[in-house]
Amino acid sequence: MHDDRRITEVRLDRFVRERIIPAVYARTVPLNLSSWDAPGEPVSVMEALRNHFAPQEHGAAWGKPWGTKWLRLQGDVPEAWGTGPDTAVEIVVDLGFINEAPGFQCEGIAWRPDGTIIKAISPRNQYIPLKLLGSGMSVDFYVEAAANPDMAQGWTFAATPYGDKATAGTAPQYRLGRIAIAELNQTVWELQQDIWTLAGLMHELPPEQPRRHEILRALERMMDQMDPDDVPGTASAGRAALAEVLSRPAYASAHQLVATGHAHIDSAWLWPVRETIRKCARTFSNVVALMDEDPGFVFSCSSAQQLAWMKEFYPELFGRIREKVKAGQFVPVGGMWVESDTNMPGGEAMARQFIEGKNFFLDEFGVECREAWLPDSFGYSAALPQIVKSAGGRWFLTQKISWNQVNRMPHHTFNWEGIDGTRLFTHFPPVDTYNAELSGRELAHAERNFRDHGRGNTSLVPFGYGDGGGGGGPTREMLAAASRTADLEGSPKVRVGSAESFFTQAEDEYSSVPVWVGEMYLELHRGTYTSQAQTKRGNRRSEHLLREAELWCATAAVRGAGSFQYPAAELKRLWRLVLLQQFHDILPGSSIAWVHQDAERNYAAISASLETLIGQAAAALLGEGSRTFLLNAAPHARNGVAALAAAELSLASRPVQATAVDGGYVLDNGIIRAVLDADGLLASLTDYATGREAIAPGARGNLLELHRDTPNEWDAWDIDEFYRRNVTALTAAQAIRVEHAGTSAVVVVDRVAGSSPVTQRITLDAGSGSLTITTAVEWQESEKMLKLGFPLDVRADRSASETQFGHVFRPTHVNTSWEAAKFEICAHRWIHVAEPGYGVAISNAATYGHDVTRSVRDSDGGTTTSVRLSLLRAPKFPDPTADRGHQELTVTIRPGAGIAEAVEEGYRTNLAPRLVKGARGVEPLFSVDNPALVIEAVKLAEDGSGDLVVRLYESLGQRSAGVLTANFPVKDVQATDLLERATDAPGVKPASAHGSVELSLRAFQLVTLRFAR
């Protein structure tokens, strides 16, 4: 037989385009329009409806960037419309949508005149059934239309002014399209879904398979039997021609897909948080409307923050969501406050994501999420398995790792082992998207791509338009595809269900689960460790202020300091705001300028509020007096003051010497000795305890380097390895001078990075084992990256980087492609490199991006291990002004340091000395006799009982034992999970005396203890 496949396929495409699609709505009549433009930020529905609506022309241009137009739609349904057995009346609203990127353009939501939500209007969900209006055969309702600009711009990554209202302009962005009453032909619509499913499947089947040809000929018969001039009248015949091929059951061994509705709504990204709130209302209103039509539809919804917004701003919609949760259709997942970044949030912040998220879902819905749900975060910390399990979690889901540039993950379903040995059952959907449409291509890809055939046969597919949120999540077309592929020959079997039902089924399938150990490093988006330095500095500062505030407020409450009341509600509010800003496009620096401007304002307000709380608690604790006390919130003693206590300073007696030598300076405090040459570079750094030189022979530390930074795509997200090939070493100093400030010596160095003035202050304090370098930059660069490097005389085959509740080791060599891909890595407060017997710790106050390389010197055969910190970037998309202006970054370097010293240095750098006047000191609430056991948080219990909660972890990566003592009357001690519920904790044994607990913890073990007073 002659091969006419291509001819038939082209015929089918045109038949659908020109005959089927126009016949879905064969008859339409325009509506009468009037409108009102909100003058500034969005307003509530009732406020909008109080305004005068003027006549609105069809097809008119509208929408300045970020503006809101309210439309009123009125008209009468023509007589006899929708009375046929397969017809219904709908309102079609086209706000001027473009075909691409459904979530990255204008969006709308329909409201009844009484202020209740109907559903959203989006590019691929433009209809409103007449029955939802509740007004018989007349039409009268409103559409709140948001003129969100197309920030994506076809993903060209070109600089755009639209991300900042100050530069976005006022030119209209859109032109109104068809807004009309329409008669839906249900049979034609069903035929359209039949064709879409079968054609998609056909194109995925190999030409040698009979099934492909069988489908093609059935589609050909359908076209032959239908009358192109009377599609509505012959649609039933067309469906009959396809019925047999649609009824063929799937192979017994077909891959099984659990399809769960989803709408990945970024809590901010190419739009501000205020628009996310509206995006959530649009999407969730679509979802509940779809659930009313299809009781089998299940939707997985993460992010407690987004539902908290619904409760606050859209209470009527929130009530409808509650009912769907009870019905098992609207399913909370993830148990986190937001889908946060996992690389950069501190340990306590990561714990609070689950504490706040899970408690919200429990309080509002009575639902406990068992899975962590992070499809789009930019890599996954090796500390997560323990944190998830400690919060009562059982499973983990991710998708983003499919974006790896070089290496493919070897499994899709596996046990993920974290830094402490905790294992977490994990799934990585082989469909390679969290925005599936359930197309033939996607389903076939999921089956082909699944890497665990033979061990299991089930995977998850999250379906629904997401990312932009305005795409509206799942659609009726997707549900139609799911029903057609439930049992269809040549296709995987699709079952609509919850994530929990998938995980339970997948666990039952596996008899021997493969294991992935350590972090899931994303081989992409490495620049997110550095972009938007001000946002990162605000996050780090907020985390540590929250530590201080909780500690001192809890201490004041327990010590009975007057009438001091623990400010639980205010602390929760501030924590939730910090957690929101750890969302995976805010803290990583990958959002528009508006988002980061909001974040920086929020951080300033957070700081002010927390400083007030700390001040109030300190005043209650110390009383009125003229003596100076150090409030030491660190978990280690400082300047003679015990951890978590307040006492007068015990200052080091030996002063710091600063000696001018050859145009530079030598700084010496009897513990370390630093030589700064005439260029202000670190020529030598030694500690007296070992006598070792830390700086490699012939090299100099404190070296600023300016790199060209032009990634191939995803500017704010990516650093590509070729950045290393274009570098300017900033060796020359414009000026160098020494300053003395009390018990410190400071060398000040002025230099220039490109066109950006730089001032470095290199400080050595009395009694300190580390040198502090503060780099202030008036950053004016574009597409450049500034690094600060230290070439160390250390043969280190791996580096240790702090992560949540511990640290992670990474090789310094590049033997394999997996190692070579990690050319930029994330560390929290410190990074450490060592050889047996000697190491160097480098800490930071707000820097996360690092790189560690090694080379062997020809001169002496020794090894130079170079540690560099990524201080600043200057990407042009999505914020063309990212990082411009004044920046200040602090780094310390500590020679002769082990891991214990690195941990201590990290806290010291991030918890600045807090000196307060008062009359009396403060004994710590808790003390521990082994510094390896680090107290991370001290607070009052979440339930308001007044119980004390202390969270601590083993910090050195080894088995460590010690005794934790409560220095207040205690009647009971319990080990708990993160949600402060009693649980068994290995290695935790309350001692015979009340108020003490014997601990024998495995490496990096996390423990939460609850003390009843």
Side-chain angles (χ1 to χ4, degrees):
M1 180 179 289
H2 300 298
D3 187 357
D4 64 349
R5 285 178 303 151
R6 183 59 185 151
I7 295 172
T8 305
E9 290 167 1
V10 171
R11 178 190 176 195
L12 177 66
D13 291 343
R14 185 169 185 180
F15 187 79
V16 170
R17 184 175 66 250
E18 295 186 0
R19 306 295 178 174
I20 300 293
I21 293 176
V24 171
Y25 293 119
R27 298 191 290 184
T28 64
V29 58
L31 283 161
N32 297 317
L33 300 181
S34 56
S35 68
W36 171 75
D37 291 298
E41 284 295 279
V43 301
S44 69
V45 58
M46 298 316 295
E47 182 178 346
L49 301 192
R50 286 195 293 267
N51 286 277
H52 172 69
F53 281 64
Q56 171 66 55
E57 180 186 357
H58 280 265
W62 73 281
K64 68 179 181 180
W66 306 112
T68 300
K69 175 181 281 292
W70 284 82
L71 295 166
R72 186 175 187 182
L73 287 62
Q74 295 174 290
D76 293 311
V77 178
E79 189 176 351
W81 276 28
T83 58
D86 62 348
T87 61
V89 176
E90 297 185 340
I91 315 303
V92 179
V93 181
D94 179 359
L95 297 174
F97 300 122
I98 56 177
N99 289 329
E100 297 78 20
F104 302 90
Q105 52 177 293
C106 59
E107 305 164 16
I109 192 163
W111 296 87
R112 298 181 186 91
D114 65 0
T116 57
I117 289 177
I118 305 171
K119 66 181 289 289
I121 301 295
S122 53
R124 300 178 191 177
N125 199 338
Q126 300 179 20
Y127 70 95
I128 298 172
L130 179 67
K131 62 184 179 182
L132 295 185
L133 302 184
S135 54
M137 297 300 282
S138 65
V139 172
D140 188 0
F141 69 101
Y142 298 83
V143 172
E144 178 186 7
N148 299 336
D150 176 18
M151 292 295 303
Q153 305 173 94
W155 302 113
T156 58
F157 309 105
T160 170
Y162 291 130
D164 186 341
K165 281 186 77 174
T167 60
T170 60
Q173 300 291 294
Y174 301 101
R175 186 172 294 277
L176 294 176
R178 178 176 63 173
I179 301 177
I181 301 171
E183 187 178 40
L184 170 72
N185 187 298
Q186 188 69 36
T187 303
V188 176
W189 183 87
E190 295 285 357
L191 174 61
Q192 182 185 13
Q193 311 317 308
D194 293 343
I195 296 170
W196 189 80
T197 295
L198 286 171
L201 171 61
M202 176 185 70
H203 285 297
E204 295 303 318
L205 295 172
E208 61 272 14
Q209 255 197 30
R211 175 67 168 162
R212 174 168 183 151
H213 300 276
E214 180 184 59
I215 294 172
L216 179 70
R217 297 310 164 196
L219 291 166
E220 184 177 52
R221 287 193 299 275
M222 176 269 299
M223 291 185 284
D224 289 343
Q225 292 179 22
M226 288 184 64
D227 182 351
D229 295 324
D230 185 17
V231 169
T234 57
S236 295
R239 295 203 72 199
L242 301 177
E244 184 180 0
V245 290
L246 277 169
S247 67
R248 294 284 181 88
Y251 309 129
S253 59
H255 188 65
Q256 298 180 49
L257 288 168
V258 178
T260 191
H262 187 47
H264 179 72
I265 307 174
D266 288 304
S267 290
W269 180 24
L270 302 182
W271 53 86
V273 166
R274 70 90 152 144
E275 193 58 31
T276 306
I277 298 170
R278 298 203 295 178
K279 284 176 177 284
C280 291
R282 295 176 195 125
T283 297
F284 298 158
S285 64
N286 273 349
V287 165
V288 296
L290 203 54
M291 288 173 179
D292 289 338
E293 295 298 313
D294 187 341
F297 169 43
V298 176
F299 178 76
S300 294
C301 182
S302 72
S303 302
Q305 170 69 90
Q306 296 181 357
L307 289 165
W309 284 329
M310 297 303 97
K311 182 180 180 182
E312 179 179 0
F313 297 107
Y314 298 88
E316 182 265 340
L317 175 59
F318 187 71
R320 294 166 64 193
I321 291 171
R322 278 186 191 274
E323 294 304 313
K324 297 303 182 184
V325 173
K326 289 179 184 177
Q329 289 187 270
F330 195 108
V331 182
V333 295
M336 297 177 72
W337 190 246
V338 297
E339 290 184 16
S340 74
D341 178 72
T342 78
N343 290 311
M344 291 173 284
E348 188 61 21
M350 202 76 251
R352 298 299 176 99
Q353 287 286 353
F354 289 94
I355 293 168
E356 292 299 326
K358 294 195 75 167
N359 279 334
F360 180 89
F361 289 138
L362 282 165
D363 293 344
E364 297 295 338
F365 306 116
V367 171
E368 179 163 6
C369 304
R370 295 294 186 183
E371 67 291 298
W373 182 277
L374 288 170
D376 191 35
S377 296
F378 308 148
Y380 304 94
S381 160
L384 269 179
Q386 177 176 208
I387 295 171
V388 173
K389 281 286 183 74
S390 296
R394 180 174 169 184
W395 307 300
F396 183 80
L397 178 134
T398 174
Q399 180 65 71
K400 195 70 171 190
I401 215 74
S402 66
W403 287 41
N404 271 5
Q405 287 178 310
V406 179
N407 300 287
R408 289 183 64 196
M409 285 288 288
H411 311 292
H412 281 104
T413 305
F414 54 96
N415 271 328
W416 179 21
E417 182 178 315
I419 57 174
D420 74 315
T422 297
R423 289 184 173 180
L424 187 64
F425 191 78
T426 296
H427 184 61
F428 162 34
V431 70
D432 284 350
T433 180
Y434 45 79
N435 295 323
E437 301 176 51
L438 302 182
S439 67
R441 181 192 60 78
E442 291 166 338
L443 302 185
H445 177 76
E447 183 171 53
R448 287 194 297 260
N449 191 44
F450 186 59
R451 306 202 76 181
D452 298 289
H453 288 302
R455 289 192 177 94
N457 194 37
T458 306
S459 66
L460 185 76
V461 51
F463 70 94
Y465 296 120
D467 273 330
T475 65
R476 60 185 178 184
E477 288 79 13
M478 295 174 194
L479 290 176
S483 69
R484 285 160 173 77
T485 53
D487 191 12
L488 181 63
E489 183 186 353
S491 170
K493 293 182 179 180
V494 175
R495 171 176 67 84
V496 175
S498 67
E500 180 179 8
S501 73
F502 158 74
F503 276 111
T504 301
Q505 180 178 342
E507 276 187 320
D508 290 343
E509 283 184 349
Y510 275 71
S511 58
S512 179
V513 185
V515 178
W516 177 268
V517 178
E519 69 180 328
M520 283 191 277
Y521 177 93
L522 179 64
E523 296 173 0
L524 199 72
H525 294 2
R526 304 168 183 89
T528 58
Y529 315 148
T530 303
S531 296
Q532 298 286 1
Q534 293 280 27
T535 297
K536 290 172 169 58
R537 187 153 49 252
N539 174 74
R540 183 76 69 84
R541 178 70 174 140
S542 296
E543 288 180 344
H544 289 81
L545 283 172
L546 280 161
R547 173 194 174 91
E548 290 190 85
E550 286 188 332
L551 169 65
W552 301 125
C553 289
T555 305
V558 172
R559 293 286 182 234
S563 59
F564 186 86
Q565 296 294 314
Y566 187 76
E570 177 67 356
L571 287 168
K572 182 179 288 291
R573 182 186 73 83
L574 295 170
W575 260 118
R576 287 181 169 184
L577 185 52
V578 170
L579 298 178
L580 164 62
Q581 296 186 158
Q582 291 178 341
F583 177 73
H584 65 251
D585 275 307
I586 302 179
L587 179 54
S590 47
S591 290
I592 58 175
W594 189 343
V595 172
H596 293 287
Q597 291 162 5
D598 283 351
E600 288 160 29
R601 281 192 294 270
N602 287 338
Y603 285 131
I606 289 166
S607 177
S609 296
L610 290 172
E611 289 288 358
T612 297
L613 294 181
I614 293 167
Q616 291 170 348
L621 286 165
L622 302 179
E624 293 185 12
S626 59
R627 297 158 61 190
T628 300
F629 293 90
L630 171 66
L631 271 69
N632 180 19
H636 309 97
R638 178 182 293 185
N639 299 109
V641 179
L644 315 182
E648 292 181 280
L649 289 171
S650 175
L651 298 176
S653 58
R654 176 167 176 169
V656 182
Q657 296 178 345
T659 307
V661 177
D662 297 331
Y665 295 92
V666 177
L667 304 182
D668 193 326
N669 67 355
I671 300 172
I672 64 173
R673 179 178 184 270
V675 178
L676 296 163
D677 65 14
D679 289 316
L681 299 177
L682 191 57
S684 173
L685 182 64
T686 57
D687 66 291
Y688 283 93
T690 69
R692 278 276 301 259
E693 173 61 64
I695 303 300
R700 295 182 292 178
N702 186 38
L703 178 63
L704 290 168
E705 294 177 302
L706 192 64
H707 289 266
R708 182 192 301 170
D709 185 16
T710 54
N712 288 341
E713 52 187 358
W714 300 107
D715 293 33
W717 294 257
D718 283 0
I719 294 173
D720 286 331
E721 189 274 340
F722 53 76
Y723 85 89
R724 290 177 171 173
R725 302 173 200 166
N726 298 95
V727 57
T728 301
L730 308 178
T731 54
Q734 292 183 319
I736 181 171
R737 58 194 180 278
V738 69
E739 296 177 358
H740 288 274
T743 57
S744 302
V746 183
V747 173
V748 182
V749 183
D750 296 325
R751 56 178 103 246
V752 175
S755 57
S756 302
V758 178
T759 298
Q760 289 189 302
R761 297 178 63 84
I762 303 158
T763 304
L764 182 60
D765 295 323
S768 175
S770 63
L771 189 69
T772 300
I773 302 168
T774 300
T775 303
V777 188
E778 296 300 327
W779 189 240
Q780 302 299 328
E781 306 309 300
S782 178
E783 297 183 290
K784 298 290 189 295
M785 178 165 54
L786 185 66
K787 289 246 181 190
L788 176 64
F790 299 92
L792 304 173
D793 189 13
V794 176
R795 183 171 174 80
D797 59 0
R798 61 183 185 174
S799 63
S801 298
E802 188 189 33
T803 189
Q804 297 92 356
F805 305 119
H807 54 268
V808 61
F809 289 108
R810 300 181 181 98
T812 58
H813 56 75
V814 289
N815 286 353
T816 71
S817 59
W818 291 90
E819 293 151 359
K822 295 182 181 181
F823 58 80
E824 184 82 1
I825 57 176
C826 184
H828 284 196
R829 291 169 292 202
W830 57 265
I831 191 166
H832 181 263
V833 292
E835 60 186 45
Y838 182 81
V840 178
I842 297 173
S843 78
N844 68 82
T847 297
Y848 296 92
H850 297 73
D851 73 275
V852 183
T853 55
R854 64 193 298 278
S855 62
V856 175
R857 302 185 294 270
D858 293 334
S859 58
D860 63 356
T863 299
T864 298
T865 300
S866 295
V867 178
R868 298 194 306 165
L869 299 92
S870 302
L871 300 185
L872 295 168
R873 298 186 66 219
K876 66 180 183 180
F877 180 85
D879 175 8
T881 63
D883 284 332
R884 308 305 192 277
H886 182 76
Q887 303 283 0
E888 194 166 303
L889 304 109
T890 299
V891 170
T892 77
I893 179 168
R894 184 166 177 167
I899 293 290
E901 289 74 26
V903 173
E904 181 179 351
E905 192 69 24
Y907 281 99
R908 183 180 296 271
T909 303
N910 285 272
L911 286 166
R914 185 176 293 278
L915 301 177
V916 180
K917 296 289 185 181
R920 58 184 177 269
V922 179
E923 183 183 15
L925 288 178
F926 295 98
S927 54
V928 64
D929 64 358
N930 183 347
L933 306 179
V934 171
I935 294 176
E936 180 66 10
V938 177
K939 59 187 283 293
L940 292 197
E942 293 289 312
D943 61 7
S945 63
D947 291 355
L948 259 292
V949 172
V950 59
R951 194 157 13 258
L952 70 160
Y953 66 100
E954 197 291 318
S955 66
L956 303 186
Q958 63 189 36
R959 181 65 62 90
S960 297
V963 176
L964 173 75
T965 301
N967 301 310
F968 56 89
V970 173
K971 68 177 182 181
D972 186 40
V973 183
Q974 286 185 327
T976 73
D977 65 7
L978 289 180
L979 274 64
E980 300 169 11
R981 303 174 297 196
T983 188
D984 293 328
V988 177
K989 179 182 178 184
S992 56
H994 285 308
S996 63
V997 180
E998 293 179 1
L999 301 167
S1000 179
L1001 304 187
R1002 67 180 183 270
F1004 304 129
Q1005 184 177 346
L1006 174 64
V1007 172
T1008 303
L1009 298 167
R1010 181 174 181 143
F1011 291 76
R1013 293 189 277 154

